[in-house]
PDB file of all heavy atoms in Angstrom:
ATOM      1  N   ARG R   1     -21.799 -20.395   4.934  1.00 79.00           N
ATOM      2  CA  ARG R   1     -22.805 -21.355   5.383  1.00 79.00           C
ATOM      3  C   ARG R   1     -22.244 -22.335   6.403  1.00 79.00           C
ATOM      4  O   ARG R   1     -22.981 -22.845   7.242  1.00 79.00           O
ATOM      5  CB  ARG R   1     -23.356 -22.127   4.186  1.00 79.00           C
ATOM      6  CG  ARG R   1     -24.213 -21.296   3.243  1.00 79.00           C
ATOM      7  CD  ARG R   1     -24.715 -22.126   2.085  1.00 79.00           C
ATOM      8  NE  ARG R   1     -25.532 -21.330   1.161  1.00 79.00           N
ATOM      9  CZ  ARG R   1     -26.038 -21.792   0.031  1.00 79.00           C
ATOM     10  NH1 ARG R   1     -25.816 -23.068  -0.324  1.00 79.00           N
ATOM     11  NH2 ARG R   1     -26.772 -21.005  -0.742  1.00 79.00           N
ATOM     12  N   GLY R   2     -20.960 -22.618   6.318  1.00 67.00           N
ATOM     13  CA  GLY R   2     -20.353 -23.567   7.245  1.00 67.00           C
ATOM     14  C   GLY R   2     -19.832 -22.942   8.520  1.00 67.00           C
ATOM     15  O   GLY R   2     -19.167 -23.623   9.310  1.00 67.00           O
ATOM     16  N   GLN R   3     -20.120 -21.669   8.749  1.00 65.00           N
ATOM     17  CA  GLN R   3     -19.627 -21.002   9.950  1.00 65.00           C
ATOM     18  C   GLN R   3     -20.365 -21.504  11.181  1.00 65.00           C
ATOM     19  O   GLN R   3     -21.548 -21.862  11.128  1.00 65.00           O
ATOM     20  CB  GLN R   3     -19.797 -19.489   9.816  1.00 65.00           C
ATOM     21  CG  GLN R   3     -18.854 -18.839   8.836  1.00 65.00           C
ATOM     22  CD  GLN R   3     -19.074 -17.342   8.727  1.00 65.00           C
ATOM     23  OE1 GLN R   3     -20.138 -16.847   9.114  1.00 65.00           O
ATOM     24  NE2 GLN R   3     -18.112 -16.631   8.203  1.00 65.00           N
ATOM     25  N   VAL R   4     -19.642 -21.518  12.297  1.00 59.00           N
ATOM     26  CA  VAL R   4     -20.226 -21.977  13.558  1.00 59.00           C
ATOM     27  C   VAL R   4     -20.945 -20.858  14.289  1.00 59.00           C
ATOM     28  O   VAL R   4     -21.717 -21.110  15.204  1.00 59.00           O
ATOM     29  CB  VAL R   4     -19.126 -22.586  14.460  1.00 59.00           C
ATOM     30  CG1 VAL R   4     -18.498 -23.788  13.785  1.00 59.00           C
ATOM     31  CG2 VAL R   4     -18.055 -21.554  14.797  1.00 59.00           C
ATOM     32  N   SER R   5     -20.683 -19.621  13.918  1.00 60.00           N
ATOM     33  CA  SER R   5     -21.342 -18.484  14.545  1.00 60.00           C
ATOM     34  C   SER R   5     -21.444 -17.351  13.529  1.00 60.00           C
ATOM     35  O   SER R   5     -20.663 -17.278  12.578  1.00 60.00           O
ATOM     36  CB  SER R   5     -20.578 -18.006  15.793  1.00 60.00           C
ATOM     37  OG  SER R   5     -19.270 -17.590  15.441  1.00 60.00           O
ATOM     38  N   VAL R   6     -22.399 -16.490  13.740  1.00 62.00           N
ATOM     39  CA  VAL R   6     -22.610 -15.361  12.839  1.00 62.00           C
ATOM     40  C   VAL R   6     -21.722 -14.208  13.289  1.00 62.00           C
ATOM     41  O   VAL R   6     -21.830 -13.753  14.431  1.00 62.00           O
ATOM     42  CB  VAL R   6     -24.084 -14.934  12.830  1.00 62.00           C
ATOM     43  CG1 VAL R   6     -24.299 -13.750  11.894  1.00 62.00           C
ATOM     44  CG2 VAL R   6     -24.970 -16.106  12.422  1.00 62.00           C
ATOM     45  N   PRO R   7     -20.811 -13.733  12.436  1.00 60.00           N
ATOM     46  CA  PRO R   7     -19.932 -12.621  12.836  1.00 60.00           C
ATOM     47  C   PRO R   7     -20.726 -11.332  13.011  1.00 60.00           C
ATOM     48  O   PRO R   7     -21.753 -11.114  12.360  1.00 60.00           O
ATOM     49  CB  PRO R   7     -18.933 -12.527  11.691  1.00 60.00           C
ATOM     50  CG  PRO R   7     -19.631 -13.118  10.525  1.00 60.00           C
ATOM     51  CD  PRO R   7     -20.536 -14.179  11.067  1.00 60.00           C
ATOM     52  N   GLU R   8     -20.224 -10.485  13.875  1.00 61.00           N
ATOM     53  CA  GLU R   8     -20.881  -9.212  14.147  1.00 61.00           C
ATOM     54  C   GLU R   8     -19.851  -8.087  14.089  1.00 61.00           C
ATOM     55  O   GLU R   8     -18.648  -8.304  14.233  1.00 61.00           O
ATOM     56  CB  GLU R   8     -21.553  -9.233  15.529  1.00 61.00           C
ATOM     57  CG  GLU R   8     -22.630 -10.290  15.665  1.00 61.00           C
ATOM     58  CD  GLU R   8     -23.241 -10.313  17.062  1.00 61.00           C
ATOM     59  OE1 GLU R   8     -22.736  -9.551  17.927  1.00 61.00           O
ATOM     60  OE2 GLU R   8     -24.191 -11.086  17.295  1.00 61.00           O
ATOM     61  N   GLY R   9     -20.342  -6.894  13.881  1.00 62.00           N
ATOM     62  CA  GLY R   9     -19.481  -5.714  13.904  1.00 62.00           C
ATOM     63  C   GLY R   9     -18.467  -5.697  12.789  1.00 62.00           C
ATOM     64  O   GLY R   9     -18.782  -5.904  11.613  1.00 62.00           O
ATOM     65  N   THR R  10     -17.199  -5.478  13.184  1.00 68.00           N
ATOM     66  CA  THR R  10     -16.119  -5.358  12.202  1.00 68.00           C
ATOM     67  C   THR R  10     -15.900  -6.657  11.437  1.00 68.00           C
ATOM     68  O   THR R  10     -15.627  -6.638  10.222  1.00 68.00           O
ATOM     69  CB  THR R  10     -14.815  -4.949  12.910  1.00 68.00           C
ATOM     70  OG1 THR R  10     -15.044  -3.771  13.685  1.00 68.00           O
ATOM     71  CG2 THR R  10     -13.716  -4.677  11.901  1.00 68.00           C
ATOM     72  N   ALA R  11     -16.016  -7.789  12.122  1.00 62.00           N
ATOM     73  CA  ALA R  11     -15.816  -9.080  11.456  1.00 62.00           C
ATOM     74  C   ALA R  11     -16.847  -9.292  10.351  1.00 62.00           C
ATOM     75  O   ALA R  11     -16.515  -9.794   9.271  1.00 62.00           O
ATOM     76  CB  ALA R  11     -15.895 -10.213  12.476  1.00 62.00           C
ATOM     77  N   ALA R  12     -18.087  -8.902  10.595  1.00 69.00           N
ATOM     78  CA  ALA R  12     -19.121  -9.036   9.568  1.00 69.00           C
ATOM     79  C   ALA R  12     -18.841  -8.130   8.375  1.00 69.00           C
ATOM     80  O   ALA R  12     -19.051  -8.515   7.218  1.00 69.00           O
ATOM     81  CB  ALA R  12     -20.491  -8.728  10.169  1.00 69.00           C
ATOM     82  N   THR R  13     -18.358  -6.915   8.645  1.00 77.00           N
ATOM     83  CA  THR R  13     -18.037  -5.990   7.548  1.00 77.00           C
ATOM     84  C   THR R  13     -16.887  -6.514   6.699  1.00 77.00           C
ATOM     85  O   THR R  13     -16.943  -6.474   5.462  1.00 77.00           O
ATOM     86  CB  THR R  13     -17.669  -4.615   8.122  1.00 77.00           C
ATOM     87  OG1 THR R  13     -18.739  -4.146   8.955  1.00 77.00           O
ATOM     88  CG2 THR R  13     -17.420  -3.621   7.020  1.00 77.00           C
ATOM     89  N   ILE R  14     -15.843  -7.039   7.353  1.00 75.00           N
ATOM     90  CA  ILE R  14     -14.697  -7.578   6.620  1.00 75.00           C
ATOM     91  C   ILE R  14     -15.120  -8.770   5.772  1.00 75.00           C
ATOM     92  O   ILE R  14     -14.713  -8.908   4.607  1.00 75.00           O
ATOM     93  CB  ILE R  14     -13.575  -7.965   7.602  1.00 75.00           C
ATOM     94  CG1 ILE R  14     -13.010  -6.715   8.283  1.00 75.00           C
ATOM     95  CG2 ILE R  14     -12.466  -8.727   6.882  1.00 75.00           C
ATOM     96  CD1 ILE R  14     -11.969  -7.008   9.336  1.00 75.00           C
ATOM     97  N   GLN R  15     -15.951  -9.618   6.335  1.00 71.00           N
ATOM     98  CA  GLN R  15     -16.408 -10.789   5.575  1.00 71.00           C
ATOM     99  C   GLN R  15     -17.225 -10.392   4.352  1.00 71.00           C
ATOM    100  O   GLN R  15     -17.099 -10.986   3.284  1.00 71.00           O
ATOM    101  CB  GLN R  15     -17.229 -11.701   6.486  1.00 71.00           C
ATOM    102  CG  GLN R  15     -17.600 -13.025   5.846  1.00 71.00           C
ATOM    103  CD  GLN R  15     -18.464 -13.861   6.747  1.00 71.00           C
ATOM    104  OE1 GLN R  15     -19.630 -13.564   6.950  1.00 71.00           O
ATOM    105  NE2 GLN R  15     -17.903 -14.918   7.307  1.00 71.00           N
ATOM    106  N   LYS R  16     -18.047  -9.372   4.503  1.00 77.00           N
ATOM    107  CA  LYS R  16     -18.850  -8.913   3.373  1.00 77.00           C
ATOM    108  C   LYS R  16     -17.974  -8.299   2.284  1.00 77.00           C
ATOM    109  O   LYS R  16     -18.221  -8.494   1.083  1.00 77.00           O
ATOM    110  CB  LYS R  16     -19.885  -7.894   3.852  1.00 77.00           C
ATOM    111  CG  LYS R  16     -20.909  -7.521   2.807  1.00 77.00           C
ATOM    112  CD  LYS R  16     -21.974  -6.626   3.386  1.00 77.00           C
ATOM    113  CE  LYS R  16     -23.026  -6.274   2.325  1.00 77.00           C
ATOM    114  NZ  LYS R  16     -24.090  -5.398   2.896  1.00 77.00           N
ATOM    115  N   VAL R  17     -16.937  -7.567   2.681  1.00 77.00           N
ATOM    116  CA  VAL R  17     -16.025  -6.981   1.701  1.00 77.00           C
ATOM    117  C   VAL R  17     -15.241  -8.077   0.975  1.00 77.00           C
ATOM    118  O   VAL R  17     -15.075  -8.032  -0.261  1.00 77.00           O
ATOM    119  CB  VAL R  17     -15.070  -5.996   2.397  1.00 77.00           C
ATOM    120  CG1 VAL R  17     -13.969  -5.550   1.445  1.00 77.00           C
ATOM    121  CG2 VAL R  17     -15.834  -4.786   2.917  1.00 77.00           C
ATOM    122  N   MET R  18     -14.773  -9.104   1.719  1.00 78.00           N
ATOM    123  CA  MET R  18     -14.006 -10.179   1.108  1.00 78.00           C
ATOM    124  C   MET R  18     -14.853 -11.008   0.152  1.00 78.00           C
ATOM    125  O   MET R  18     -14.328 -11.594  -0.803  1.00 78.00           O
ATOM    126  CB  MET R  18     -13.419 -11.082   2.199  1.00 78.00           C
ATOM    127  CG  MET R  18     -12.416 -10.391   3.101  1.00 78.00           C
ATOM    128  SD  MET R  18     -10.972  -9.773   2.220  1.00 78.00           S
ATOM    129  CE  MET R  18     -10.177 -11.306   1.778  1.00 78.00           C
ATOM    130  N   LEU R  19     -16.160 -11.048   0.389  1.00 79.00           N
ATOM    131  CA  LEU R  19     -17.048 -11.802  -0.484  1.00 79.00           C
ATOM    132  C   LEU R  19     -16.989 -11.290  -1.916  1.00 79.00           C
ATOM    133  O   LEU R  19     -17.104 -12.078  -2.874  1.00 79.00           O
ATOM    134  CB  LEU R  19     -18.478 -11.737   0.061  1.00 79.00           C
ATOM    135  CG  LEU R  19     -19.568 -12.437  -0.759  1.00 79.00           C
ATOM    136  CD1 LEU R  19     -19.315 -13.939  -0.816  1.00 79.00           C
ATOM    137  CD2 LEU R  19     -20.939 -12.152  -0.169  1.00 79.00           C
ATOM    138  N   TYR R  20     -16.789 -10.007  -2.088  1.00 81.00           N
ATOM    139  CA  TYR R  20     -16.732  -9.422  -3.429  1.00 81.00           C
ATOM    140  C   TYR R  20     -15.310  -9.039  -3.849  1.00 81.00           C
ATOM    141  O   TYR R  20     -15.012  -8.987  -5.046  1.00 81.00           O
ATOM    142  CB  TYR R  20     -17.628  -8.179  -3.485  1.00 81.00           C
ATOM    143  CG  TYR R  20     -19.075  -8.484  -3.180  1.00 81.00           C
ATOM    144  CD1 TYR R  20     -19.604  -8.200  -1.915  1.00 81.00           C
ATOM    145  CD2 TYR R  20     -19.902  -9.055  -4.128  1.00 81.00           C
ATOM    146  CE1 TYR R  20     -20.931  -8.480  -1.619  1.00 81.00           C
ATOM    147  CE2 TYR R  20     -21.230  -9.339  -3.846  1.00 81.00           C
ATOM    148  CZ  TYR R  20     -21.742  -9.051  -2.588  1.00 81.00           C
ATOM    149  OH  TYR R  20     -23.047  -9.346  -2.299  1.00 81.00           O
ATOM    150  N   PHE R  21     -14.438  -8.780  -2.875  1.00 84.00           N
ATOM    151  CA  PHE R  21     -13.084  -8.345  -3.209  1.00 84.00           C
ATOM    152  C   PHE R  21     -12.268  -9.483  -3.828  1.00 84.00           C
ATOM    153  O   PHE R  21     -11.531  -9.263  -4.810  1.00 84.00           O
ATOM    154  CB  PHE R  21     -12.380  -7.816  -1.957  1.00 84.00           C
ATOM    155  CG  PHE R  21     -10.944  -7.452  -2.187  1.00 84.00           C
ATOM    156  CD1 PHE R  21     -10.606  -6.282  -2.840  1.00 84.00           C
ATOM    157  CD2 PHE R  21      -9.923  -8.294  -1.757  1.00 84.00           C
ATOM    158  CE1 PHE R  21      -9.278  -5.953  -3.070  1.00 84.00           C
ATOM    159  CE2 PHE R  21      -8.602  -7.976  -1.980  1.00 84.00           C
ATOM    160  CZ  PHE R  21      -8.281  -6.791  -2.630  1.00 84.00           C
ATOM    161  N   ILE R  22     -12.375 -10.690  -3.277  1.00 83.00           N
ATOM    162  CA  ILE R  22     -11.577 -11.810  -3.797  1.00 83.00           C
ATOM    163  C   ILE R  22     -11.970 -12.164  -5.232  1.00 83.00           C
ATOM    164  O   ILE R  22     -11.086 -12.319  -6.089  1.00 83.00           O
ATOM    165  CB  ILE R  22     -11.699 -13.027  -2.852  1.00 83.00           C
ATOM    166  CG1 ILE R  22     -11.106 -12.689  -1.481  1.00 83.00           C
ATOM    167  CG2 ILE R  22     -10.998 -14.237  -3.438  1.00 83.00           C
ATOM    168  CD1 ILE R  22     -11.193 -13.826  -0.482  1.00 83.00           C
ATOM    169  N   PRO R  23     -13.258 -12.295  -5.572  1.00 84.00           N
ATOM    170  CA  PRO R  23     -13.587 -12.542  -6.988  1.00 84.00           C
ATOM    171  C   PRO R  23     -13.118 -11.422  -7.913  1.00 84.00           C
ATOM    172  O   PRO R  23     -12.679 -11.693  -9.047  1.00 84.00           O
ATOM    173  CB  PRO R  23     -15.119 -12.664  -6.973  1.00 84.00           C
ATOM    174  CG  PRO R  23     -15.452 -13.112  -5.598  1.00 84.00           C
ATOM    175  CD  PRO R  23     -14.464 -12.422  -4.724  1.00 84.00           C
ATOM    176  N   LEU R  24     -13.204 -10.161  -7.455  1.00 87.00           N
ATOM    177  CA  LEU R  24     -12.729  -9.062  -8.291  1.00 87.00           C
ATOM    178  C   LEU R  24     -11.217  -9.133  -8.507  1.00 87.00           C
ATOM    179  O   LEU R  24     -10.722  -8.802  -9.596  1.00 87.00           O
ATOM    180  CB  LEU R  24     -13.105  -7.723  -7.657  1.00 87.00           C
ATOM    181  CG  LEU R  24     -14.591  -7.347  -7.708  1.00 87.00           C
ATOM    182  CD1 LEU R  24     -14.847  -6.057  -6.963  1.00 87.00           C
ATOM    183  CD2 LEU R  24     -15.077  -7.238  -9.157  1.00 87.00           C
ATOM    184  N   SER R  25     -10.490  -9.571  -7.481  1.00 84.00           N
ATOM    185  CA  SER R  25      -9.034  -9.719  -7.648  1.00 84.00           C
ATOM    186  C   SER R  25      -8.705 -10.832  -8.640  1.00 84.00           C
ATOM    187  O   SER R  25      -7.701 -10.743  -9.365  1.00 84.00           O
ATOM    188  CB  SER R  25      -8.383 -10.009  -6.290  1.00 84.00           C
ATOM    189  OG  SER R  25      -8.821 -11.253  -5.770  1.00 84.00           O
ATOM    190  N   VAL R  26      -9.558 -11.870  -8.687  1.00 83.00           N
ATOM    191  CA  VAL R  26      -9.354 -12.927  -9.676  1.00 83.00           C
ATOM    192  C   VAL R  26      -9.581 -12.389 -11.085  1.00 83.00           C
ATOM    193  O   VAL R  26      -8.842 -12.717 -12.025  1.00 83.00           O
ATOM    194  CB  VAL R  26     -10.290 -14.116  -9.384  1.00 83.00           C
ATOM    195  CG1 VAL R  26     -10.195 -15.162 -10.485  1.00 83.00           C
ATOM    196  CG2 VAL R  26      -9.944 -14.746  -8.037  1.00 83.00           C
ATOM    197  N   LEU R  27     -10.600 -11.544 -11.242  1.00 85.00           N
ATOM    198  CA  LEU R  27     -10.835 -10.919 -12.546  1.00 85.00           C
ATOM    199  C   LEU R  27      -9.652 -10.046 -12.961  1.00 85.00           C
ATOM    200  O   LEU R  27      -9.245 -10.037 -14.130  1.00 85.00           O
ATOM    201  CB  LEU R  27     -12.118 -10.080 -12.501  1.00 85.00           C
ATOM    202  CG  LEU R  27     -13.440 -10.840 -12.409  1.00 85.00           C
ATOM    203  CD1 LEU R  27     -14.605  -9.865 -12.252  1.00 85.00           C
ATOM    204  CD2 LEU R  27     -13.650 -11.706 -13.649  1.00 85.00           C
ATOM    205  N   PHE R  28      -9.097  -9.323 -12.024  1.00 84.00           N
ATOM    206  CA  PHE R  28      -7.953  -8.459 -12.319  1.00 84.00           C
ATOM    207  C   PHE R  28      -6.719  -9.268 -12.706  1.00 84.00           C
ATOM    208  O   PHE R  28      -5.885  -8.804 -13.490  1.00 84.00           O
ATOM    209  CB  PHE R  28      -7.657  -7.587 -11.103  1.00 84.00           C
ATOM    210  CG  PHE R  28      -6.518  -6.640 -11.303  1.00 84.00           C
ATOM    211  CD1 PHE R  28      -6.665  -5.500 -12.085  1.00 84.00           C
ATOM    212  CD2 PHE R  28      -5.287  -6.887 -10.716  1.00 84.00           C
ATOM    213  CE1 PHE R  28      -5.602  -4.628 -12.276  1.00 84.00           C
ATOM    214  CE2 PHE R  28      -4.222  -6.024 -10.896  1.00 84.00           C
ATOM    215  CZ  PHE R  28      -4.387  -4.886 -11.675  1.00 84.00           C
ATOM    216  N   SER R  29      -6.603 -10.499 -12.160  1.00 78.00           N
ATOM    217  CA  SER R  29      -5.429 -11.329 -12.468  1.00 78.00           C
ATOM    218  C   SER R  29      -5.393 -11.726 -13.932  1.00 78.00           C
ATOM    219  O   SER R  29      -4.327 -12.078 -14.457  1.00 78.00           O
ATOM    220  CB  SER R  29      -5.432 -12.585 -11.590  1.00 78.00           C
ATOM    221  OG  SER R  29      -6.522 -13.429 -11.933  1.00 78.00           O
ATOM    222  N   GLY R  30      -6.564 -11.687 -14.617  1.00 78.00           N
ATOM    223  CA  GLY R  30      -6.572 -12.033 -16.028  1.00 78.00           C
ATOM    224  C   GLY R  30      -5.787 -11.084 -16.885  1.00 78.00           C
ATOM    225  O   GLY R  30      -5.395 -11.418 -18.017  1.00 78.00           O
ATOM    226  N   LEU R  31      -5.527  -9.882 -16.383  1.00 77.00           N
ATOM    227  CA  LEU R  31      -4.753  -8.905 -17.136  1.00 77.00           C
ATOM    228  C   LEU R  31      -3.249  -9.080 -16.964  1.00 77.00           C
ATOM    229  O   LEU R  31      -2.468  -8.452 -17.692  1.00 77.00           O
ATOM    230  CB  LEU R  31      -5.139  -7.486 -16.698  1.00 77.00           C
ATOM    231  CG  LEU R  31      -6.600  -7.082 -16.897  1.00 77.00           C
ATOM    232  CD1 LEU R  31      -6.848  -5.712 -16.282  1.00 77.00           C
ATOM    233  CD2 LEU R  31      -6.965  -7.089 -18.370  1.00 77.00           C
TER     234      LEU R  31
END
């Protein structure tokens, strides 16, 4: 929400993957 511009192409794909990958890595750290 605080971004100054909307990413496109590869940057948008990476951002979407990181949106779910980082929380999942936190869940994995519990083990």
Side-chain angles (χ1 to χ4, degrees):
R1 291 180 181 176
Q3 288 179 341
V4 298
S5 61
V6 180
E8 299 178 355
T10 306
T13 304
I14 294 176
Q15 187 183 72
K16 189 174 181 179
V17 171
M18 296 299 291
L19 178 64
Y20 300 101
F21 175 76
I22 296 180
L24 288 176
S25 64
V26 174
L27 290 175
F28 181 75
S29 67
L31 300 174

